[in-house]
Amino acid sequence: MTPLPELLPATDAAPFVHDLATHGDRPALITADGTISYTELATRVEEAARRLGPQRRLVLVAGANTVEALVAYLAGLRGGHPVLLVPDSGPATRTLVEAYDPDVVIGPVDGTWTIEERRRGTAHELHPELALLLSTSGSTGSPKLVRLSAANLQANAEAIAGYLGIRDTDRAATSLPPHYCYGLSVVNSHLTRGAALILTGLSVADSCFWDLFRAARGTTFAGVPYTFDLLDRVGFAGMDLPHLRYVTQAGGRLAPATVRRYAELGRRHGWDLFVMYGQTEATARMAYLPPDLARTRPEAIGVPVPGGEFRLAPAPDQPDGVGELVYAGPNVMLGYAERPADLASGRTVDELHTGDLARRGPDGLWEIVGRRSRFAKILGVRVDPQSVEGLLARHRVEAACLGADDELVVAVAGDATPARVRRLVADEVGLPPRAVRVLPAPRLPRLASGKVDYPALRAHAEAPEPAPPAAAPTADHDLCRLYAEVLERTDVTPEHSFVDLGGDSLSYVEMSVRLERVLGQLPPDWHTLPIAALPVRPAARPRRRVLETSVALRAAAIVLIVGSHIPLFHLTGGAHLLLAVAGFNFARFQLTDVSRRDRLRQIRAALARIVLPTMVWIAAVMALTDQYRLSTLLLVNSLVGPADGRTEWHFWFIEGLVYVLLGTGALLALPAVDRWERRFPFALPVALAGLGLLGRYDVFGLDARHDLPGGVVAFWLFALGWAAARARGTRQRLLVTVAAAATVPGFFGEPAREALIVAGFALLVWLPTVPSVGTVNRLAGVLAGSSLYVYLTHWQVYPHLRDRPLLALVASLAAGVAYGLLVEQAWRWAARLRSRRTAAG
């Protein structure tokens, strides 16, 4: 085999990349799926570097906290190729691809990590020192990039590893995105010392993040100011994290009170808080505050990192001792790039003018007192927006400020009233109240780094104010109250989504119908969006209405079931189609991004919503008639019989669905299976569908001998519906469609019935919505939301109206809807009772 150096460009990579293999079998990457050693990581990196070839090329890598993204980043550096590290998707990446025309693009395509070689050689002249290109803080997606060398990366990684005292036994969670310089510095500094990375894309607001952190014996994680807001919300102060050694903070100024509070928390629990200061132009870090000073000097950024130094440059209109902070050190960038031709440039700067106004305290610690470039002159008054933000923060108001020509724009998140904010700002700054414009918002726009997205804020401030719609949401239509009412929850906040709050397929229909009345047309993924991200004003009514396919199928299936039982017509297959839709909704509502424990709680709640109303109805019928037996009430008729009963088969579908949910829940209760589902969300249900085909085709002859329950025989339909919800891209959708078309025919021996099920699968897979009209939407919503209750009750309704089949159908549907309303009232009553007991206890 040709030695690797002979296959690579002559440009040297940073030593921390060269030296990966020297750390041997020590853990390098810890993921939810297992551990990768440094030896294995080095092998993967070198294999990927060989694929990139010996000629230096501009390599764009979609940054993500995944093994594939990290290997691609390191392989580019190992091969001496300049790496353009970008967000893993979205318009920012497309903008940079168009602006810089990379030779190679590495990233996910339809869920598969791919290397796209756009040309064999290179279209660029690349300076020998150029190693990495990053977007400047706040300019993600802009053509302006920071040019960094391998020496920059190594120097900053060594400095950070030094002052943090990183050990080879440390395990750092990737709590920030790698295309953000702070997140990348965590990666580089820990690889420098042979420490491990707990590789995850989860947020600190996700309980699964902390499950993984504890399981991996995590010792550190990084946060920006917004991270600490999230930590407060999730109860970080009460968490048991026995291996935590230190927490780092950068990415913007953290309020001194918060610094002091977290430093004190760390002192009590045995970990340190490092407050740091940096910019992308300095390869991440320029200063840090020693942890023992965080409680006494929380307003300071501290001292320069090893190898760096500060000075003050004169700044106009500033008091003595205050000037622009200038940094010099081996981690200062080569310069900026604004066009492809700049990639050929060498060093154009020797020191970094930060744009921050600073002073040095008597104790030698540096402090930031303002931002030079953000000063604005409004009506003759010089205003520092950052100071205004600090003022409002002291009054517990989360805000971001912008200076315009004749006004100060203050965006405010939360429930602070505009009048109060305007008064606070006007009194402090000396502006007339008319020059302070307050923009209330559910939340401030933020970049992936957690910093406020000021360009987006400015665009919002400059957008023309739309005319207020006639039906704008008011207090009566408060979305949180609406969610709380439908889901019987008392803990709803704007940060929650429908799935966060335990919404399921039964409540989904009612929620979507009621939301549509308030907001207009809903986005397709509304159930996964935080409430605050939903439009706060009704969208313009579309000319053509649509209906979600799963809702349409549920409504149509229950009508077909009841109509065929009467019989008004003979179109069977609706129950088996409902089983597929149940699998589809199981993936959407029970398999969310919450912890395994919360997933199991959601499955238990879904089972309760099915089992309890069923048993109540059957018990009521048993009290009045001899139609059912105890085995029917206990939903075990398919297990214990009697097999020749005339009515016991009525509830085979509900029994089957309950067994499927119990079995699937038990499977997902296994930590390994839960990890597989998150790692292979499409492959797992496909594999389960394959196992389910053993029952469908009775491979072992068990059905013939023991009369297997319907849930076992038809499980493959549920699993295929699950796979349909997880299918991404044409190939996966085609696989589900072909699987249904190949396995459903022959199951019943009724071509029309089988064609109905296959057609329903095709709609579910390929069409998220179907054309509709408002009246049909409302009717379908009611029927779909009541489908379980219609199925339960219609057996006791239609036999009395057989001679009038159309009336029998309408009465059966109406009875089910009425029972559904009664059940929902009972759920709400129970929720209120639990709430009162909780408050009393």
Side-chain angles (χ1 to χ4, degrees):
M1 179 180 292
T2 305
L4 182 62
E6 295 183 17
L7 296 175
L8 301 179
T11 304
D12 289 333
F16 75 84
V17 182
H18 272 301
D19 297 341
L20 292 174
T22 63
H23 302 297
D25 292 331
R26 296 198 58 77
L29 308 179
I30 301 171
T31 72
D33 301 312
T35 300
I36 296 174
S37 71
Y38 269 94
T39 298
E40 183 181 353
L41 177 61
T43 300
R44 293 192 187 191
V45 168
E46 295 207 0
E47 289 174 353
R50 284 191 179 94
R51 286 200 59 186
L52 294 176
Q55 182 178 1
R56 290 189 83 216
R57 297 191 286 176
L58 180 60
V59 178
L60 182 144
V61 175
N65 285 317
T66 64
V67 174
E68 296 86 353
L70 181 60
V71 168
Y73 159 68
L74 294 172
L77 297 182
R78 179 70 177 95
H81 306 280
V83 174
L84 172 52
L85 200 57
V86 301
D88 57 358
S89 61
T93 298
R94 292 192 293 272
T95 298
L96 290 170
V97 170
E98 293 170 1
Y100 283 91
D101 188 23
D103 304 309
V104 183
V105 173
I106 307 179
V109 177
D110 292 333
T112 302
W113 203 263
T114 62
I115 298 178
E116 177 194 354
E117 297 192 70
R118 306 177 80 212
R119 60 185 59 87
R120 302 193 62 158
T122 182
H124 306 285
E125 183 180 350
L126 304 170
H127 192 273
E129 292 185 67
L130 182 61
L132 182 65
L133 294 158
L134 294 176
S135 293
T136 62
S137 179
S139 67
T140 301
S142 163
K144 186 177 182 180
L145 300 173
V146 171
R147 296 183 291 114
L148 300 171
S149 67
N152 289 151
L153 297 177
Q154 187 68 30
N156 205 232
E158 291 282 2
I160 294 170
Y163 71 73
L164 290 181
I166 296 177
R167 309 166 183 169
D168 59 8
T169 54
D170 277 324
R171 299 182 171 196
T174 55
S175 48
L176 298 170
H179 64 269
Y180 171 41
C181 69
Y182 183 14
L184 190 62
S185 73
V186 174
V187 172
N188 295 345
S189 59
H190 283 79
L191 293 181
T192 296
R193 290 294 174 88
L197 296 170
I198 304 172
L199 205 57
T200 175
L202 295 171
S203 164
V204 297
D206 193 327
S207 59
C208 289
F209 176 94
W210 299 108
D211 291 341
L212 177 61
F213 191 85
R214 277 186 286 265
R217 301 165 67 92
T219 61
T220 181
F221 66 93
V224 297
Y226 183 58
T227 305
F228 289 81
D229 293 338
L230 297 177
L231 293 177
D232 287 341
R233 294 178 195 173
V234 300
F236 173 77
M239 289 185 183
D240 179 24
L241 303 171
H243 303 287
L244 182 63
R245 280 209 316 123
Y246 62 92
V247 175
T248 65
Q249 182 274 320
R253 184 176 185 269
L254 189 63
T258 305
V259 173
R260 186 179 290 111
R261 178 162 55 89
Y262 271 86
E264 179 59 33
L265 178 66
R267 187 190 66 80
R268 294 197 305 269
H269 290 273
W271 51 264
D272 291 325
L273 174 67
F274 283 86
V275 175
M276 308 185 299
Y277 167 76
Q279 292 180 0
T280 310
E281 290 85 343
T283 325
R285 303 279 72 79
M286 290 183 281
Y288 72 99
L289 181 64
D292 57 338
L293 299 176
R295 286 184 296 148
T296 57
R297 290 285 271 123
E299 68 281 5
I301 62 170
V303 298
V305 302
E309 59 182 27
F310 288 128
R311 70 176 180 87
L312 293 178
D317 303 324
Q318 295 302 317
D320 292 342
V322 173
E324 182 182 7
L325 190 63
V326 180
Y327 174 80
N331 51 317
V332 172
M333 65 176 177
L334 299 174
Y336 290 113
E338 298 189 48
R339 60 190 64 83
D342 295 336
L343 304 183
S345 300
R347 179 168 294 280
T348 58
V349 296
D350 294 313
E351 57 181 9
L352 177 62
H353 288 254
T354 65
D356 288 323
L357 297 173
R359 66 184 171 213
R360 190 178 187 185
D363 53 5
L365 299 180
W366 293 85
E367 303 171 29
I368 302 297
V369 298
R371 180 72 181 163
R372 181 177 183 180
S373 60
R374 287 188 60 202
F375 275 99
K377 203 164 189 177
I378 302 170
L379 303 179
V381 178
R382 186 176 174 82
V383 178
D384 177 7
Q386 186 174 10
S387 296
V388 177
E389 293 171 0
L391 160 74
L392 293 174
R394 291 193 293 274
H395 288 275
R396 301 183 180 277
V397 177
E398 183 185 2
C401 302
L402 293 170
D405 291 339
D406 56 356
E407 64 180 359
L408 180 68
V409 177
V410 183
V412 177
D415 56 2
T417 62
R420 174 175 175 248
V421 172
R422 189 177 294 109
R423 185 179 64 254
L424 286 170
V425 175
D427 291 347
E428 175 74 16
V429 177
L431 289 172
R434 66 178 176 83
V436 180
R437 178 157 64 108
V438 180
L439 295 177
R443 59 178 61 190
L444 299 179
R446 295 186 182 274
L447 302 166
S449 63
K451 293 183 177 181
V452 174
D453 187 346
Y454 285 100
L457 187 61
R458 187 172 294 280
H460 175 60
E462 294 175 352
E465 187 71 21
T474 64
D476 295 332
H477 282 145
D478 177 82
L479 297 185
C480 289
R481 293 182 184 177
L482 181 58
Y483 273 63
E485 178 184 349
V486 174
L487 298 175
E488 298 104 35
R489 298 284 293 253
T490 59
D491 57 346
V492 181
T493 69
E495 288 74 28
H496 284 122
S497 69
F498 177 79
V499 295
D500 292 337
L501 295 165
D504 57 19
S505 58
L506 293 175
S507 52
Y508 175 85
V509 179
E510 180 184 359
M511 190 78 250
S512 63
V513 169
R514 295 183 64 175
L515 271 181
E516 191 174 30
R517 292 175 190 163
V518 177
L519 303 177
Q521 189 175 18
L522 295 174
D525 57 347
W526 69 266
H527 61 291
T528 63
L529 296 176
I531 297 172
L534 295 174
V536 295
R537 293 173 178 166
R541 293 286 179 180
R543 294 181 181 178
R544 301 180 63 183
R545 301 294 295 274
V546 295
L547 177 64
E548 186 176 328
T549 300
S550 66
V551 174
L553 291 176
R554 285 172 65 184
I558 195 61
V559 172
L560 293 180
I561 290 169
V562 177
S564 296
H565 287 165
I566 289 174
L568 177 61
F569 43 73
H570 186 72
L571 289 173
T572 55
H576 288 81
L577 182 56
L578 276 182
L579 197 60
V581 175
F584 184 84
N585 286 328
F586 175 78
R588 299 171 74 202
F589 304 123
Q590 272 71 56
L591 301 185
T592 58
D593 290 333
V594 297
S595 68
R596 177 169 55 90
R597 185 176 304 151
D598 286 339
R599 280 184 167 186
L600 296 177
R601 179 186 56 77
Q602 291 174 349
I603 294 173
R604 288 195 298 270
L607 277 166
R609 301 266 298 188
I610 296 171
V611 172
L612 293 181
T614 299
M615 296 184 72
V616 167
W617 179 259
I618 294 174
V621 175
M622 289 176 64
L624 299 174
T625 72
D626 60 354
Q627 195 170 7
Y628 300 127
R629 306 183 187 186
L630 184 61
S631 60
T632 312
L633 175 66
L634 299 178
L635 298 180
V636 294
N637 185 77
S638 60
L639 297 177
V640 302
D644 59 347
R646 293 178 303 166
T647 60
E648 282 77 5
W649 64 272
H650 283 181
F651 303 107
W652 76 265
F653 168 76
I654 294 177
E655 282 193 30
L657 181 58
V658 168
Y659 296 161
V660 165
L661 290 176
L662 284 172
T664 308
L667 195 62
L668 290 168
L670 301 174
V673 177
D674 183 75
R675 290 196 299 270
W676 292 341
E677 193 284 325
R678 296 174 196 271
R679 175 68 172 166
F680 308 107
F682 178 73
L684 180 65
V686 169
L688 291 177
L691 290 175
L693 290 175
L694 297 177
R696 181 260 184 266
Y697 289 107
D698 195 20
V699 172
F700 300 109
L702 296 176
D703 191 30
R705 295 196 299 270
H706 303 289
D707 195 19
L708 294 177
V712 174
V713 177
F715 170 72
W716 105 96
L717 291 171
F718 178 91
L720 276 184
W722 175 357
R726 296 303 203 204
R728 299 293 182 269
T730 301
R731 285 184 295 180
Q732 291 183 354
R733 291 188 176 95
L734 189 60
L735 176 61
V736 174
T737 308
V738 170
T743 57
V744 172
F747 183 63
F748 305 99
E750 301 176 26
R753 186 178 190 177
E754 293 158 355
L756 176 73
I757 297 172
V758 173
F761 256 110
L763 290 173
L764 202 61
V765 171
W766 295 100
L767 293 179
T769 59
V770 293
S772 183
V773 295
T775 303
V776 172
N777 276 14
R778 290 189 290 274
L779 179 60
V782 171
L783 292 178
S786 304
S787 56
L788 169 68
Y789 312 115
V790 173
Y791 187 92
L792 281 173
T793 60
H794 80 287
W795 306 106
Q796 280 68 54
V797 178
Y798 76 80
H800 302 289
L801 298 167
R802 282 186 182 274
D803 55 338
R804 303 178 67 182
L806 183 59
L807 179 60
L809 174 63
V810 173
S812 296
L813 298 177
V817 171
Y819 183 53
L821 292 173
L822 183 63
V823 170
E824 291 306 311
Q825 287 300 319
W827 285 121
R828 292 190 174 99
W829 175 82
R832 289 193 293 270
L833 182 61
R834 287 194 302 270
S835 178
R836 285 197 293 269
R837 286 178 177 175
T838 301

